[in-house]
Amino acid sequence: TMVGHPKWDACVTVEKDRHWLQQNAACSARRRPVRTRDSDRDMTLTASCSGRRLISLLLSVILGANQIVPCASFATNSGFCGSGPCPIHCRRGPECVAGRVRKLSNPGIPLYDSSISSDTTECKSGTTNSKSNLLGTDREWKAYNGYINKVLSSEKTYQRKDTEDDKDAIRAYLNQRDRTVPIQLPSLVHKFSDAAEAGKALHLELEEQKAKFCQASALTSNQYKLTMRLLCYVGNYCAKNQEGLALRVAWEKMKEMGCAPRENVLSTYLYGIALADGVLVDDKDEEINDIDGIDLPEEVATFHDTLFSPTEKTLTLRIKALVQKGDAKGAERLLEMMPSSRDGGDLRLRTYLPVLELYCQQRDIPSALRLYKRMRHAPGVHFNAENYSLLISTIAENGFFRSDSDAIAGGEELGYHPAMGAQLLAALVSEMAEDVLEIASSCANRLRLAFRKGFGIESATESSSCEMPLINESASPEELVVDRVAVDIETAECPRTEAILRLIALDKKQRSQLHDTLVEMADSQYEEYNEKLKQRKQNVEKEDAGYAASQIRKFAEWIDGREGEPFTAIVDGANVAFFGRGLVDYQHVKIVVEGLEQMGEKPLVIMPQKYLQPKFYVRRGLVQELDEHGIGIMEELVQSGKVYEVPKRCLDDYYWMLASVSDQTNSRDGEDIDVAPNQEGRWPGLRPMIVSNDQMRDHKLELLQPRLFRRWVSSFIITYDFTPVVEEKWDERDVIFSPAEHFSREIQGNLTPDGSMAWHFPVTEWSKNERLCIRLPVT
């Protein structure tokens, strides 16, 4: 009956057009030649058409062409969009056969009108298919197309229940560049005051978007789930290969489908899209496409934070987007979204810093100071020299360190009394000194220019890139000092301000911390060394667990409990013995010990056990046998109690380090063994001092905090050298000692003779004794 209907041939023509368009879409996705309409293949195309599709089409024609037969089997299997005036949808969005169909109730108008341009086809939705309706730029689409076809061709992405029809349906959709339905998710740009309200609104919008998409695409429930799964796989592939451009198109697909992905999927997309957003393209490349001017990383982060709890990563991206728009207040309000943001528990420097920089750029000093104070209390925030220089230079540039300046609004509530002048500078630099040891020359130049500008001393010839001149002339009390100075190595006096810099030593708590750390490191090093021997298939003696820790503790107990005169100099025996020759030379050790004794010191030599044997391996393939002279010196040192033997496979460095912070309780008997300045014949400084040329590159990074390590080195280490050998007379060489530093290489403030405070900053690129000196004028 249907075949005999007058409109049957017209319906077959429309169905052939639909099939042809679908075939071309598949060919384009696979980069094959586009098929053309060929009269020789009309029968093949007609035979491949679905009978149910043709019957449905004809019934719709009979019923008036503005309705589609409400049959569930047709809606789910035929691919009809279900929205008039067209009863056919070719899975190409608005650019479909449907848009070219005239009302079939008028028999005078042909069913298909090829004169209608595919670029300006209008559908019931009212949208126009132009280039703006395409997903992504050509570059983005190419990247997406490569990844989606890789996923589609992998059998690992499918499940047993996925049929070939399912695969064909999703392949057609995923390779379709035109939008199927408009995306309507207004809550992504609407500012909600309540997070729960925003989440509820987005969930409802996603449900509506999904319903519209499913109706238009006619994907079954299983096909919809499979499409989501494949887009998730695309995210994994892109994240693994650090390729983000493809995800910008895939994300649009997800929104169009009304997907509500799992949190880990959103995190993957966020990572990839952020990569794409950070790509710098040259002038020949296309710019990365932001759909409708939306910043996609911000959008994905907002999507995540609306459906799930915000994370540090998502907040950072959203904050950076607001900062780019100049909205510092809005960016700071976002910080409150983190569950633990009030105490800063989960936020890091990268989250806060863009907001602080924007406040400084906008010269909003009260807000910058308030945010800085908040950041200092956040456990995850660790300031560096550049961050402190930014804040201090901004405050200086705006004149708040002047004695006649107004206080910073709200500063006293933050704990700065007053929030201006020298007291404010002292408070900020003291906080800086807790986190920073030295600054870069760029920071020094920035501070100099900022202070001079704030005090009205500007020079047209100065810039932050100019090398700062060295000025060692004494300054008057009324003069602003922001200069590069050379501190006297012997007296530690600043030539500009006459302030005396201090040698800042470890306190009792820090000495105890070093002691305990060395014990732990000794044990871990011993285990690592034994593991290396096992890997080399060498014999390893079985020792009790914690052997190395017990041995170094035994040394600590020995040096702390021994009777007699306390040791005031600890000698790194192996370092001295190997000096300059690559072999053990006990003559070197003898010269150093005698030289220390002539200076009034009581030395102890720390020596590994194997070097206290007549014959030993120096390194692989080289065995050294001591001569009688060397053996005689070694035995004399051991018998006189001047040597401590470090057990085999234990690192001797930890022993002489630990000796420097030992209390030597019994031998010292409450006596202060440190040497005061001007004590005749002896170097002033802390005792016991360490004699070694070891730079300790293997230890310092894991040993202590950088500040504590630097204080330990500057307080205890004494380096040495020997005079040249004359006519092979090795016994007549003399030792030359270089004392520890007289002042610490870290930021410090010291009073000047006029009662003002002078601050000295070590600068990385400058000489060891040079500092940036800042002293405000005395009024």
Side-chain angles (χ1 to χ4, degrees):
T1 302
M2 304 304 298
V3 172
H5 193 277
K7 295 295 184 181
W8 173 255
D9 291 339
C11 290
V12 170
T13 301
V14 171
E15 174 59 16
K16 286 197 299 182
D17 272 331
R18 182 205 64 79
H19 185 79
W20 175 79
L21 288 171
Q22 198 173 51
Q23 291 293 316
N24 273 355
C27 290
S28 176
R30 295 169 185 165
R31 298 183 181 178
R32 295 177 180 173
V34 175
R35 298 181 180 183
T36 59
R37 293 185 178 87
D38 190 341
S39 58
D40 294 337
R41 301 198 322 181
D42 282 353
M43 293 302 295
T44 304
L45 292 175
T46 304
S48 68
C49 293
S50 166
R52 284 182 300 179
R53 199 188 312 268
L54 287 170
I55 292 170
S56 178
L57 175 60
L58 188 56
L59 287 174
S60 67
V61 170
I62 294 171
L63 292 174
N66 285 326
Q67 301 292 327
I68 192 71
V69 177
C71 174
S73 64
F74 293 163
T76 57
N77 295 312
S78 66
F80 295 171
C81 64
S83 57
C86 80
I88 295 176
H89 183 70
C90 65
R91 294 191 179 92
R92 296 194 66 197
E95 185 185 355
C96 62
V97 177
R100 307 180 189 187
V101 177
R102 303 298 187 183
K103 289 187 177 182
L104 300 182
S105 57
N106 186 346
I109 298 179
L111 181 68
Y112 179 86
D113 185 357
S114 60
S115 66
I116 301 176
S117 170
S118 63
D119 291 332
T120 57
T121 302
E122 293 186 2
C123 292
K124 186 177 180 180
S125 63
T127 59
T128 300
N129 181 41
S130 61
K131 188 172 182 180
S132 63
N133 201 43
L134 298 178
L135 292 177
T137 63
D138 291 342
R139 182 181 171 199
E140 292 166 355
W141 179 258
K142 182 179 179 181
Y144 164 80
N145 198 254
Y147 278 101
I148 198 64
N149 284 307
K150 183 177 181 180
V151 171
L152 287 167
S153 63
S154 174
E155 290 299 324
K156 296 180 181 180
T157 60
Y158 299 106
Q159 299 176 356
R160 290 184 178 180
K161 63 180 180 180
D162 300 329
T163 66
E164 289 301 320
D165 288 341
D166 292 337
K167 296 177 184 179
D168 290 341
I170 64 169
R171 184 178 290 109
Y173 170 67
L174 291 175
N175 280 298
Q176 167 191 316
R177 189 172 178 183
D178 295 324
R179 299 180 189 274
T180 301
V181 292
I183 300 173
Q184 295 178 341
L185 301 173
S187 63
L188 289 179
V189 295
H190 181 74
K191 295 183 178 180
F192 289 90
S193 58
D194 181 70
E197 180 186 354
K200 183 178 179 180
L202 182 57
H203 274 292
L204 290 174
E205 291 168 7
L206 288 173
E207 290 177 3
E208 293 176 2
Q209 182 72 28
K210 179 180 177 181
K212 292 177 182 178
F213 171 79
C214 289
Q215 183 182 23
S217 66
L219 293 181
T220 66
S221 175
N222 185 59
Q223 291 168 355
Y224 182 89
K225 293 178 181 178
L226 177 56
T227 307
M228 280 188 60
R229 189 163 72 246
L230 296 185
L231 289 174
C232 293
Y233 285 138
V234 170
N236 293 336
Y237 274 115
C238 291
K240 183 178 180 180
N241 294 285
Q242 294 190 337
E243 168 61 63
L245 286 177
L247 290 185
R248 298 175 71 86
V249 175
W251 174 248
E252 292 299 310
K253 290 280 188 183
M254 278 200 168
K255 288 194 300 179
E256 182 181 55
M257 294 172 61
C259 293
R262 295 191 301 271
E263 186 173 11
N264 64 324
V265 175
L266 278 176
S267 297
T268 302
Y269 267 70
L270 183 60
Y271 170 75
I273 290 175
L275 282 177
D277 196 63
V279 172
L280 297 177
V281 295
D282 58 38
D283 293 336
K284 296 180 182 180
D285 287 333
E286 303 178 74
E287 293 183 359
I288 294 173
N289 183 40
D290 279 331
I291 307 299
D292 299 328
I294 299 173
D295 180 77
L296 278 186
E298 179 190 7
E299 181 180 273
V300 180
T302 304
F303 198 99
H304 175 281
D305 293 351
T306 306
L307 295 181
F308 307 99
S309 296
T311 66
E312 185 269 340
K313 182 178 180 180
T314 58
L315 276 184
T316 299
L317 284 169
R318 295 177 66 186
I319 285 171
K320 286 182 177 179
L322 288 175
V323 166
Q324 290 176 355
K325 300 171 185 176
D327 186 3
K329 297 293 185 182
E332 187 176 4
R333 281 194 297 271
L334 277 181
L335 297 171
E336 301 294 341
M337 293 183 62
M338 283 291 287
S340 56
S341 65
R342 292 188 182 277
D343 57 10
D346 295 331
L347 299 179
R348 292 188 283 173
L349 178 64
R350 68 176 184 178
T351 312
Y352 286 103
L353 188 57
V355 188
L356 180 63
E357 290 175 336
L358 182 57
Y359 277 138
C360 291
Q361 181 182 340
Q362 295 174 345
R363 299 179 180 272
D364 188 349
I365 308 302
S367 297
L369 190 62
R370 183 189 66 251
L371 181 60
Y372 157 76
K373 199 66 174 180
R374 175 179 177 177
M375 293 168 68
R376 274 190 58 82
H377 294 309
V381 176
H382 303 285
F383 279 95
N384 56 36
E386 288 74 17
N387 309 145
Y388 279 110
S389 298
L390 166 69
L391 179 69
I392 294 175
S393 61
T394 302
I395 295 175
E397 193 173 37
N398 286 273
F400 284 105
F401 291 133
R402 298 172 60 102
S403 60
D404 57 354
S405 168
D406 294 331
I408 298 175
E412 293 194 1
E413 288 79 358
L414 299 173
Y416 299 105
H417 304 282
M420 48 80 68
Q423 294 91 334
L424 177 61
L425 176 64
L428 292 175
V429 178
S430 296
E431 292 172 347
M432 179 180 183
E434 295 176 6
D435 298 320
V436 177
L437 286 172
E438 59 189 26
I439 63 176
S441 59
S442 57
C443 295
N445 286 333
R446 181 174 189 172
L447 289 169
R448 174 179 168 83
L449 292 177
F451 272 89
R452 290 173 66 83
K453 182 178 180 180
F455 280 82
I457 312 172
E458 296 188 62
S459 173
T461 60
E462 286 189 296
S463 70
S464 58
S465 61
C466 296
E467 183 175 358
M468 194 180 302
L470 187 65
I471 302 177
N472 288 325
E473 292 79 15
S474 178
S476 65
E478 298 79 17
E479 184 179 352
L480 170 69
V481 176
V482 192
D483 298 313
R484 178 179 182 177
V485 299
V487 180
D488 190 284
I489 297 178
E490 298 295 333
T491 64
E493 181 178 337
C494 170
R496 287 286 279 164
T497 63
E498 299 180 7
I500 306 297
L501 277 66
R502 295 165 290 140
L503 179 64
I504 307 174
L506 299 175
D507 58 30
K508 186 175 181 178
K509 181 180 179 180
Q510 293 166 345
R511 290 165 69 100
S512 177
Q513 179 184 348
L514 174 58
H515 179 283
D516 296 341
T517 303
L518 288 169
V519 172
E520 294 175 6
M521 291 176 60
D523 207 37
S524 61
Q525 178 274 334
Y526 178 80
E527 296 297 333
E528 291 172 4
Y529 181 70
N530 280 350
E531 189 61 34
K532 288 182 180 179
L533 293 180
K534 291 178 182 178
Q535 292 175 0
R536 297 172 186 170
K537 298 182 179 180
Q538 298 182 15
N539 294 329
V540 179
E541 296 183 15
K542 293 184 178 180
E543 304 287 358
D544 295 335
Y547 169 77
S550 65
Q551 291 300 314
I552 198 170
R553 285 195 187 97
K554 185 183 296 184
F555 168 69
E557 293 170 359
W558 172 80
I559 197 172
D560 193 52
R562 61 177 285 275
E563 303 288 344
E565 189 178 355
F567 295 115
T568 60
I570 309 298
V571 180
D572 180 0
N575 183 269
V576 173
F578 274 98
F579 179 86
R581 301 188 64 184
L583 296 173
V584 172
D585 188 346
Y586 271 98
Q587 182 63 34
H588 288 165
V589 181
K590 178 183 178 181
I591 295 172
V592 167
V593 169
E594 290 178 349
L596 291 169
E597 289 175 339
Q598 291 172 7
M599 294 169 55
E601 307 295 341
K602 172 73 173 177
L604 172 67
V605 179
I606 304 295
M607 186 67 76
Q609 183 188 65
K610 77 172 187 176
Y611 300 137
L612 292 172
Q613 311 301 318
K615 187 177 181 180
F616 48 83
Y617 275 100
V618 176
R619 52 186 172 273
R620 182 177 296 183
L622 178 60
V623 177
Q624 179 180 350
E625 186 172 356
L626 296 177
D627 57 21
E628 293 184 3
H629 180 66
I631 293 175
I633 296 174
M634 176 186 70
E635 291 177 347
E636 180 183 351
L637 291 171
V638 172
Q639 292 172 5
S640 61
K642 297 176 182 177
V643 173
Y644 186 88
E645 181 179 316
V646 178
K648 56 186 175 182
R649 299 201 304 277
C650 293
L651 186 62
D652 59 303
D653 292 4
Y654 296 145
Y655 284 71
W656 51 260
M657 289 180 186
L658 187 142
S660 68
V661 293
S662 175
D663 289 334
Q664 301 191 66
T665 307
N666 284 352
S667 59
R668 194 165 55 83
D669 194 23
E671 177 187 358
D672 184 6
I673 62 175
D674 296 337
V675 178
N678 303 321
Q679 187 169 338
E680 187 176 353
R682 300 184 68 189
W683 279 326
L686 304 180
R687 296 295 188 273
M689 56 186 180
I690 303 295
V691 180
S692 177
N693 286 342
D694 192 337
Q695 299 298 312
M696 290 165 287
R697 295 187 181 93
D698 297 332
H699 319 305
K700 66 180 182 180
L701 294 179
E702 58 181 333
L703 177 65
L704 285 172
Q705 299 172 4
R707 177 186 312 282
L708 301 186
F709 183 81
R710 181 172 290 189
R711 287 183 179 180
W712 177 76
V713 170
S714 63
S715 300
F716 292 101
I717 297 294
I718 298 290
T719 59
Y720 65 91
D721 198 358
F722 294 100
T723 57
V725 178
V726 180
E727 298 179 356
E728 297 296 323
K729 295 181 181 180
W730 295 87
D731 293 349
E732 299 180 6
R733 300 180 77 189
D734 292 327
V735 64
I736 303 171
F737 295 109
S738 298
E741 299 174 359
H742 291 291
F743 51 93
S744 297
R745 186 173 171 79
E746 59 181 277
I747 299 172
Q748 58 176 283
N750 299 282
L751 290 174
T752 65
D754 56 36
S756 62
M757 182 67 73
W759 294 95
H760 291 85
F761 301 74
V763 179
T764 306
E765 297 89 342
W766 294 355
S767 299
K768 190 175 181 179
N769 68 316
E770 292 182 350
R771 300 288 188 273
L772 172 68
C773 177
I774 299 180
R775 190 211 61 188
L776 301 182
V778 178
T779 56

